[in-house]
Amino acid sequence: MIMRVVLSTYGSRGDVEPLAALAVQLRERGAEAVVCAPPDDDFARLLERAGVPLVGAGQAVREMIAEVTRKQGPNVGRRLPLEELQLRARRIVATQYEAVLSALGGSAGPDDVVVGTGLMPAACGARSAADRVGARWVSVRFQPTTLPSPHHRPYPYPGRPLPEGETDNRVLWEYDRETMKVVFGGVFDEHRVGVGLETVDDVREYVFTRQPWLAADPLLAPWPDDAGADAGVDFGVDVVQTGAWILPDRRRLPEDLRAFLDAGEPPVYVGFGSMGMQQELKGPGRLAIEAAREHGRRVVVHAGWAGLGLSDDGDDCLAVGEINQQALFARCAAVVHHGGAGTTTTATRAGAPQVVPQVVDQPYFAARVAELGIGVAHDGPVPSADSLSQALGQALEPGTARRAREVSGLIRTDGTRVAAGLLGVG
């Protein structure tokens, strides 16, 4: 009997592309692998290029972001009321459950597996679908700060801010356990009862499991050896780090981009990926273009979900859409980006110095870039032309470029092979 693996997420491209990478590896080894993900057009095209079937789950993420932004304004994560969050969680739990169950054909063989990640409600729905048919469940995260550890704080949720003044991460992660119960526990149990499953006392532990996978490079995003327990406190996890799941991109760069790259010195890349808070990002995007020009550098601007564009019609800037970042970053003098796990890994592998303005997404990876000496974590939450110019200047220094090239050869590329072996495929 052929082993089937259903890879489930609801999130941005940073969640979908790694699952596509693992699916390719599994299919090459003879397993059946499909991805359950939001039906955004760019996700569909990505999976089609990879030769991986897509089972659409719920509402397209870009549509959801636009809908919530119209109601709540651009700072969605800070303003969404708890009641609205739970309402949307109910929908995501139900649609992800149905998508995963459909991908499994309503039943599972003895070797079938569901691998789940993405937003917590999506992981809840996928876990319930696995339980419903008796499939094995594997929880995966793409960066370490979402997993309980004495070395970092949990993220706050709307309506449940972290206790003011509390600095003990042991206390904060216990608070996070209760937060998960308050925010998602009732929603999860309500759905499970509706589909004939037992309720769960600890939703975080049940969904993440006590042995979650960390699909991140061990140099860029290490999991500390002592992160499972500290001073006798059980953090509830024994993390398995596989390495990053990287999807090789063999697409040729467009003719106009290749001509632009060939016409002068390596440019600076500016792009914020799937981050969709348009007004919050367009300002830093324009400032990054100004900063690059101050250093005499040309610029490649990636529109992304934030809709970044050129500030004028100067011939020193080129706007691009969906592109082979693996090929492009290797020809860039520096990469200014949002700090997502995938973009950080791609830029590091390419040997490109990085600047990560900490207005969005991942201050964790910004800090790691700085600690490794391969770029700069922009200092302060509100960038200016001067502050970005200073950060970019540091990234463009010869020593930073040398260090970036050195570290590029240390990034592992066997993450999907490790994960496939752990799943027992091939």
Side-chain angles (χ1 to χ4, degrees), residues 7-65:
L7 303 153
S8 167
T9 191
Y10 190 88
S12 68
R13 178 166 180 155
D15 299 301
V16 176
E17 186 165 329
L19 297 188
L22 179 56
V24 168
Q25 179 70 226
L26 295 171
R27 291 168 71 85
E28 288 177 352
R29 292 172 175 235
E32 291 183 5
V34 302
V35 171
C36 291
D40 292 74
D41 290 342
D42 41 357
F43 299 163
R45 289 190 291 268
L46 167 67
L47 289 161
E48 183 179 10
R49 285 198 306 270
V52 176
L54 167 65
V55 177
Q59 183 183 21
V61 173
R62 295 185 75 167
E63 291 178 5
M64 184 268 287
I65 292 174

Side-chain angles (χ1 to χ4, degrees), residues 102-121:
S102 172
L104 289 166
S107 63
D111 298 323
D112 293 345
V113 185
V114 177
V115 177
T117 190
L119 296 180
M120 186 64 173

Side-chain angles (χ1 to χ4, degrees), residues 148-193:
S149 165
H151 298 284
H152 54 254
R153 296 159 63 91
Y155 293 108
Y157 276 83
R160 292 277 296 180
L162 297 178
E164 188 174 352
E166 181 59 66
T167 59
D168 189 335
N169 288 337
R170 296 169 298 179
V171 173
L172 292 174
W173 278 107
E174 280 306 305
Y175 183 83
D176 178 78
R177 187 192 305 275
E178 292 304 313
T179 293
M180 291 289 191
K181 292 180 182 180
V182 170
V183 178
F184 300 117
V187 173
F188 190 35
D189 283 346
E190 177 185 293
H191 180 265
R192 286 178 68 85
V193 169

